[in-house]
Amino acid sequence: SQVGVSVVIQRPPPYKLHHSLTLTGLAGEGRSVWKKDSHFSPVSETQMFLYDTFPKEFLWGVGTGAFQVEGSWRKDGKGCSIWDRFTHSEFRDADSTGTSSDSYILLDKDLSALDFLGVTFYQFSISWSRLFPTGVVAAPNEKGLQYYNTLIDSLLHRNIDPVVTLYHWDLPLMLQEKYGGWKNESMIDIFNDYATFCFQTFGDRVKYWITIHNPYLVAWHGYGTGIHAPGERGKITTVYSVGHNLIKAHAKVWHNYKEHFQPYQKGMISIVLGSHWIKPNKSEDESDISKCQKSMERVLGWFAKPIHGDGDYPEELKNEYLFLPHFTEDEKNYIKGTADFFAFSFGPSNFKPPNTLPKMGQNLSLNLREVLNWIKLEYNSPRILIAENGWFTDSHVKTDDTTAIYMMKNFINKVLQAIKYDNIDVFGYTAWSLLDGFEWQHAYNIRRGLFYVDFKSKKKERIPKSSALYYKQIIQENGFFPKDSTPNLQAQFSCDFSWGITESFCDSSLYLWNVTGDGLLHRVEGVKLKTRPAQCTDFVSIKKQLDLLEKMKVTHYRFALDWSLILPNGDLSVVNRQVLRYYRCVISEVLKLNVQSMVTLYYPTHAYLGLPGPLLQAGGWLNQSTAYAFQDYAALCFRELGDLVKLWITINEPNQLSNVYNRSSNDTYRAAHNLLIAHAMAWRIYDEQYRSSQYGKVSLSLHSDWAEPANPFSESHSKAASRFLQFEIGWFANPIFKTGDYPATMREYISFKNRKGLSYTLLPSFTSEEKQLVKGAADFYALNHFTTRFVIHEPQNGSQYEFDRDIQFLQDITCLSSPSRLAVVPWGMRKVLRWIKKTYGDVDIYITANGIDDQSLDNDELRNYYLGKYVQEVLKAYYIDKVKIKGYYAFKMTEEKSKPRFGFFTSDSKGKPSINFYNSLISNNGFPADYSVCGPSGHEKQCSFCLFISQKKPLIFFACCIFCTLILLLAIIFFHKRKRRKRFKAKSIKCICVSF
């Protein structure tokens, strides 16, 4: 019976600060970002990917730097810049910088790219030497002036706001040669003159100004490491002198704009400050936290504290470098507050090369949300514009920049979390960059554009990459919408739904009680059970299993038999009856708990193939005779145990044995072929000889993870995901549930690779008899599902099963993951269930294993979260998609030592909190509303008494013994009393007779 279903939309919790702190904006407050809550939850909603939208007025933009994309370095009277000379002296392919993306002459193509994205602003820089070839303000270069006027007017015509950077590193060469560049204080006034001209000329149309882009890199790499123009490898004193002049130059321009232009132009002005982010080795170590704070102060604080703070350098810098230039009190007051918003750059330029960063023995991190929190705490909650953000790809990557999508997804979502959860005032985001271009010290060896440009072509078309398509989608949606937006259901499964727990093997070894006096069970190595006439109480380990099962409150228990123990020789010549007796005892004792067993005949793993020694020596599954041996083994188990078992699994995850038979793809496919035949023969034996009397069902369990294209905009990725499902699942499911043969996709793709000479694989063929044997040889579909794989098409050469598929996997860094890096993707469960129904028809389905590893022993919240989310998706598939799901088995009961912690119980049988959570799912039979339709059945009520009897057998036996003894004693007493009375009466009569 099924019950009605109601839909519940779950609202996110109210936004709250990531850290409970008093925000004072004092220097050093940022260190609290690294102090982690000892009760931190790995599944806190505030820490996971956030599906939500940005504020309506949020600004979406994209940026470029003039030198990187304009090209035409000698065209139309442009002067030479320090980067023009630096590239020609430092790079072999310097001539190519003369053209680059050619934005100067291909403006219309840039504008079309902006139209495609749908941005609200475009952040670009003015080439100082294109306006004033010598750098000194005089009569401007008309061609250059015309270009920037046309660019600004064209943007406004498209309702795109220009965000204009005055200086993005391309200082006119004449100023470097005459004054020594930014080492000379004269640059402050020269820069102010240039800025004044720009304000006068463009300010009526520009509402956002940036004075200098990332002055840290100008000073540190231009005058310190020498990897940026002008390429000086100077003293550390020079580096900080340059930084000092840059700060004062910015402040002067800011005051100039505020006093003379802002009153009527109504614009805003700031400076872009860039930084890395860093995490302590140990979050509880105050020393490590202090080092992180110092690291941030030496990079971001160097410029941010004077401008956004108190007008002076960080105390740490002043204490470390006594030669640091000093600000007078008047200069401090003049400099502090000289920014209308905090413009922040966070990209690869701030992290590379890593050996130039003051890491102080700590770890670099890309957590944009945390660095935004640090800025908020250090500088009194400023308004923030993300003025540069993005990552890079290798130069050979064209439009399929999948990794860039995931980096962008991660960065932008961190910004959203910062806004929604931490109340950080971020008002805009700049993706970097619009086009592929010249990437400074990397030249053309990396790409950062949303649009691909072939630098060697004449037309230099702007071809949108996957990242451009993804960014466009984010802009259109103003945030993130979940792939599956189906609200959670409040409903129950059918009343006969099976709730199970999976265990790999049952322990059939002999144990001795309390040999050492410590109260523990001690295994006797090499000794198997050989005892008096059969009694299940002989097996001490069964009691332990029953205790654990009783706590799980499941209706079904799935465990595996050990073929090599039952038939040591692999055939029926030697049958270990003691082991069979043990397994029968397990099943019968479990039944007394009102728990049905699902028994797996063969459970191979990568570490333990589980074959009897003689079969293994004969080639294992490469030898077809193993299939016939398995048939005999299966028939024995059906005969000996089948009266107690209604659900059988022949082989667990045969589609994962490619990890074992991996010498060549031909070995892999031959072993798989024999496994399929073995399963089919076992099923036929049961169907023909045992089903009519035992009424059971038989199938095999397939590893059935879902596959999603890593890049949703790439057709090759979509095909790769589909191909993965056919090679992984269809490989075994197609012959059984569909055609009696391997999927056409497999055969065709392997043939294609053979024709290309990329593989020499031969996929086995089924004979007509084998097809008839295999087709339909399953009573239900059993799947083991753990995660969703994000698949990339990656051509590979070689005759291996993995190579035949031409796929690679990508780890989505935005996904919640387990310690073993299993991504928690609940909607993948529903998708694979729907796919099975669509592909193989309306077949009964049992989920025979589903679980996650969780490191915590005393609070396994990740497992609770996983169970709740995945079972909810199973419920959606059951109700909405009408998938015939008959049961769900959590994986697994007991964890193994030195392996990922999948168990509800530790290896020493200590229960975890997730047991209670799973108990509630079972008792509620899902997620009911206010009432439960499924009450206890008459059988369950009747068996509750059976359960009591089973659990209290020793006590009841003892009580019965006492009672019987008491009855016997009373009977003896009564008998003796009666006998004495008879004797007394006889004596009395005798006395009377004598007297007469």
Side-chain angles (χ1 to χ4, degrees), residues 648-694:
W648 291 94
I649 298 296
T650 56
I651 305 168
N652 184 70
E653 297 190 348
N655 53 342
Q656 293 294 293
L657 277 181
S658 59
N659 295 327
V660 178
Y661 294 99
N662 57 6
R663 188 177 60 180
S664 71
S665 53
N666 289 332
D667 278 3
T668 303
Y669 295 127
R670 196 193 327 166
H673 196 78
N674 291 332
L675 283 159
L676 264 171
I677 298 298
H679 158 75
M681 289 194 299
W683 185 87
R684 295 291 172 191
I685 283 285
Y686 190 85
D687 190 53
E688 294 167 4
Q689 298 182 20
Y690 299 99
R691 188 186 304 278
S692 60
S693 59
Q694 296 180 359

Side-chain angles (χ1 to χ4, degrees), residues 917-931:
F917 183 81
Y918 193 41
N919 288 167
S920 69
L921 284 176
I922 296 170
S923 62
N924 291 324
N925 200 30
F927 303 88
D930 297 330
Y931 64 93

Side-chain angles (χ1 to χ4, degrees), residues 344-363:
F344 181 58
S345 165
F346 194 71
S349 296
N350 301 302
F351 288 85
K352 298 171 77 89
N355 61 342
T356 64
L357 288 167
K359 293 183 289 185
M360 300 188 171
Q362 307 308 303
N363 306 305

Side-chain angles (χ1 to χ4, degrees), residues 6 11 34 54 116 197 210 223 304 411 458 469 562 604 647 672 826 882 918 990:
S6 60
R11 303 283 181 193
W34 294 292
F54 285 82
F116 177 86
F197 174 84
I210 300 295
Y223 295 86
F411 284 137
K458 290 184 179 180
L469 299 171
D562 193 326
L647 292 171
K882 306 302 179 186
Y918 193 41
K990 188 176 181 181

Side-chain angles (χ1 to χ4, degrees), residues 46-215:
T46 64
Q47 302 304 308
M48 290 190 288
F49 191 87
L50 175 60
Y51 290 101
D52 205 340
T53 56
F54 285 82
K56 289 184 178 179
E57 67 280 3
F58 193 80
L59 303 178
W60 295 102
V62 68
T64 57
F67 184 77
Q68 295 177 281
V69 299
E70 280 185 6
S72 305
W73 72 285
R74 290 179 173 174
K75 194 177 181 69
D76 293 338
K78 177 188 176 297
C80 193
S81 75
I82 56 174
W83 270 97
D84 290 318
R85 185 175 71 175
F86 186 70
T87 54
H88 283 79
S89 63
E90 296 291 327
F91 300 102
R92 293 179 181 178
D93 56 347
D95 289 341
S96 60
T97 62
T99 52
S100 186
S101 303
D102 265 346
S103 288
Y104 180 71
I105 59 176
L106 298 174
L107 176 58
D108 287 343
K109 294 185 178 182
D110 287 359
L111 294 170
S112 296
L114 293 168
D115 287 338
F116 177 86
L117 293 174
V119 293
T120 51
F121 71 87
Y122 177 42
Q123 182 178 323
F124 66 92
S125 71
I126 294 174
S127 172
W128 189 344
S129 58
R130 194 176 293 282
L131 279 184
F132 301 104
T134 65
V136 177
V137 174
N141 175 15
E142 288 300 326
K143 291 286 187 179
L145 185 61
Q146 180 183 343
Y147 169 73
Y148 292 114
N149 274 321
T150 302
L151 171 56
I152 291 170
D153 290 341
S154 299
L155 292 174
L156 294 174
H157 178 71
R158 289 166 167 79
N159 293 317
I160 299 174
D161 287 326
V163 176
V164 180
T165 301
L166 295 172
Y167 181 67
H168 197 139
W169 309 353
D170 49 348
L171 186 71
L173 182 60
M174 291 286 288
L175 298 180
Q176 181 67 33
E177 292 177 338
K178 184 174 181 179
Y179 297 100
W182 289 104
K183 292 183 292 185
N184 195 321
E185 258 191 301
S186 302
M187 285 298 304
I188 297 170
D189 290 327
I190 296 172
F191 181 62
N192 187 54
D193 292 341
Y194 160 61
T196 301
F197 174 84
C198 292
F199 296 151
Q200 291 171 338
T201 308
F202 310 119
D204 58 327
R205 291 159 291 165
V206 176
K207 302 307 175 187
Y208 296 95
W209 291 96
I210 300 295
T211 56
I212 301 167
H213 187 91
N214 210 337

